[in-house]
Amino acid sequence: MVRTAVFSSACGAPAPAPIVRVVSDSIDLDGLLTRFRGELAGTEDEAGLYQLQVAYLGKKGQVTALSKSLGSLAPEDRKAAGERINAVKRACEEEIAARAAELRSRARQRELARIEDVSAVRPRALGTFHPITQTRRALEQVFGELGFDIEDGPHVEFARFNFDDLNIGPDHPARDMADTFFVQPAAGSGRMVDELVLRTHTSPVQIRTMRARKPPIRIVALGTVFRRDDDATHSPMFHQIEGLCVDEGVSMADLRATLYRFVGAFFGRELEVRFRPSFFPFVEPGAEFDMQCPFCGGSGCSTCKSSGWIELGGSGMVHPAVFEACGIDPERYTGWAFGFGIDRMAMLMHQIHDLRLMFDGDIRFAEQFPC
Ligand code: PHE
C-alpha cells in the first residue's frame, strides 16, 4: 500500500517529496541536506542561523516533520528510516554550530582589523582603595571580631551632642571659633535652630548611641571629623575611631585589656599598651594611651623617635554627667570610651610622613597602596 505524508515547509521552501520516497531510498534525505547546506552557506549572522534552525529542526521544521511522519510507514521500515532521519538531524545541528563558530571568529577578525595596532591598546588600570579606607576596613574587621557593633553619625552635628552632652561646657576652649567650624543656620529661616557644627570628634556618636540604645553597649564609630587646623601633621578634615562600652561592672581594666587585644590583633604580634593620666571632660579618670612600637618592638627606631612607644589616642571611664545627659543611670552602669586617629594609624602602617599627601588626591600617591 502506498501512503503519502507531506511535511510542512517552513520559510516558503519548495514542497518536498512525499515521505515514501524519502524512506525508500536516501535521495530525498540527501536533497534535504543539500538544500539545508545551501541555505546555511548563505547565512551571514546569528539571526539567520536561528531562522534556519527553526525551519529545519524546530517544532514545525522539516526534519521534525519527517520524524513525526514515521508512524505512517510500514512497521518494518520505521527503524531504518528513523536512524537515517536522526543522522540528518545530527548533521544539521553540527553544521549550524560550526557555522556559528565560524561567523563569530570572522566577526572577531573584523573587529581586530579595525584596531590598527593591537599592542597599542593600554591595559585598563585597576583601582585601589585609599590607604585610609584600607585602614578603616582593617579596624572595622578587628573590632568586629572582638564583638563590637559599628555605629555611625552625621558630619554636621548638634553642638549639644558634640559638646554639651559630653560635659564640654560653654566656656571650654574647644568651642572657640578658632577650633570649630560652625554651620550657619539658613538666613531668614525664622526658626530656632540648635547650633550646628562640623563634628570636631567622633565622640558625639557616644551620645547618639546611648540615647538610642540601652546597655549593654559595645560599639565603634569610624568617620570624618573637622577642626580648624592645617599643617604637615594636621588637616582640617581627618578621621577618627571611637570605642564605647557600657554595662554593669565595666572597669578600666576592661579598657586596657580591649586595647591590648586590639593592638595585638591589628599588628599581628603582642605589643604592650600603657596609659598616661590625662584630661578629657567626658571621661573620669581620663588617660592617653600608647602602644609599644610595632616596628622596633620597643627598642627604639625612627618611627617611635627612639622612645619605643607610639602615642595612639585618648580614653577613660565615661563621666557620670554624660550618662545623665543620655538617660543612663550612673549608679547602675559604668563604661569606658576611647578615640584615636585613623589617618595616623594609616601613616604608621605605610610609613607616610606628611599627612597632606593623603588628601591631595594625587593618583600617583594612591597607586602605591594596592589592596
Ligand atoms: N574625642 C577625643 C579627641 O578627639 C578622644 C577621646 C575619645 C578621649 C574618647 C577620651 C575618650 O581627642
Side-chain angles (χ1 to χ4, degrees):
M1 198 173 81
V2 173
R3 272 167 295 180
T4 55
V6 178
F7 46 73
S8 63
S9 86
C11 298
I19 188 107
V20 180
R21 289 210 49 216
V22 171
V23 292
S24 59
D25 57 54
S26 62
I27 292 172
D28 279 323
L29 266 183
D30 287 346
L32 180 137
L33 211 46
T34 312
R35 235 177 316 117
F36 167 80
R37 285 180 177 148
E39 287 180 46
L40 185 65
T43 308
E44 288 301 333
D45 55 22
E46 287 210 13
L49 274 183
Y50 180 69
Q51 269 179 14
L52 196 67
Q53 182 170 8
V54 171
Y56 281 85
L57 304 172
K59 253 199 234 149
K60 296 184 181 164
Q62 301 185 30
V63 180
T64 318
L66 279 179
S67 314
K68 280 188 190 158
S69 53
L70 276 177
S72 61
L73 294 182
E76 64 274 17
D77 291 337
R78 281 182 205 158
K79 187 164 179 265
E83 277 170 8
R84 253 186 289 164
I85 293 170
N86 273 342
V88 169
K89 188 175 164 203
R90 269 197 307 279
C92 292
E93 284 168 351
E94 280 164 16
E95 288 175 30
I96 287 178
R99 178 77 177 155
E102 187 190 332
L103 289 179
R104 270 198 302 274
S105 129
R106 269 206 240 152
R108 218 174 16 246
Q109 293 302 327
R110 271 200 301 275
E111 186 62 23
L112 285 177
R114 282 198 313 124
I115 305 170
E116 283 174 13
D117 179 359
V118 180
S119 64
V121 179
R122 271 185 76 194
R124 193 181 299 175
L126 275 185
T128 65
F129 287 107
H130 191 280
I132 291 177
T133 306
Q134 290 182 35
T135 308
R136 195 176 156 159
R137 289 181 169 206
L139 289 168
E140 285 175 350
Q141 165 96 24
V142 169
F143 279 106
E145 281 164 10
L146 289 176
F148 286 76
D149 295 333
I150 314 271
E151 281 289 344
D152 209 357
H155 295 167
V156 176
E157 183 57 281
F158 296 118
R160 183 176 154 198
F161 291 176
N162 193 80
F163 296 127
D164 303 271
D165 289 355
L166 284 165
N167 202 32
I168 305 175
D171 298 325
H172 194 277
R175 299 183 78 132
D176 201 284
M177 291 292 284
D179 298 312
T180 305
F181 289 105
F182 287 86
V183 178
Q184 297 292 331
S189 69
R191 280 188 302 134
M192 280 292 290
V193 237
D194 261 341
E195 202 177 37
L196 294 174
V197 298
L198 293 188
R199 65 177 180 186
T200 58
H201 50 176
T202 41
S203 300
V205 184
Q206 289 189 36
I207 303 297
R208 288 180 173 273
T209 306
M210 287 190 276
R211 284 167 64 103
R213 291 167 56 165
K214 293 299 149 223
I217 292 171
R218 268 161 168 259
I219 60 110
V220 284
L222 299 89
T224 314
V225 300
F226 308 85
R227 286 183 202 172
R228 288 175 171 261
D229 252 341
D230 203 358
D231 58 43
T233 52
H234 297 91
S235 147
M237 178 216 66
F238 58 105
H239 302 86
Q240 283 190 335
I241 174 172
E242 189 85 10
L244 173 70
C245 171
V246 183
D247 203 350
E248 288 177 21
V250 165
S251 75
M252 197 97 178
D254 300 315
L255 168 62
R256 195 182 152 105
T258 303
L259 291 173
Y260 176 76
R261 285 269 168 238
F262 152 66
V263 166
F266 194 77
F267 289 95
R269 57 182 289 192
E270 277 192 34
L271 295 166
E272 282 302 324
V273 169
R274 74 175 183 190
F275 285 141
R276 282 175 290 110
S278 186
F279 175 76
F280 302 93
F282 37 95
V283 286
E284 182 57 40
E288 283 176 62
F289 62 97
D290 308 334
M291 68 172 172
Q292 202 180 349
C293 177
F295 302 103
C296 60
S299 57
C301 66
S302 61
T303 305
C304 62
K305 302 196 185 72
S306 307
S307 71
W309 293 93
I310 293 197
E311 290 179 22
L312 276 187
S315 66
M317 298 303 291
V318 177
H319 198 290
V322 174
F323 277 146
E324 268 161 17
C326 301
I328 289 181
D329 180 2
E331 296 296 327
R332 178 168 171 199
Y333 294 105
T334 52
W336 51 251
F338 68 80
F340 62 86
I342 299 177
D343 318 68
R344 258 183 56 81
M345 194 59 113
M347 289 172 75
L348 262 179
M349 290 180 62
H350 297 293
Q351 311 271 318
I352 300 164
H353 296 292
D354 189 335
L355 179 65
R356 289 172 295 198
L357 282 170
M358 299 264 220
F359 305 123
D360 277 351
D362 190 330
I363 195 76
R364 291 169 302 180
F365 170 77
E367 275 171 355
Q368 294 173 47
F369 308 96
C371 43

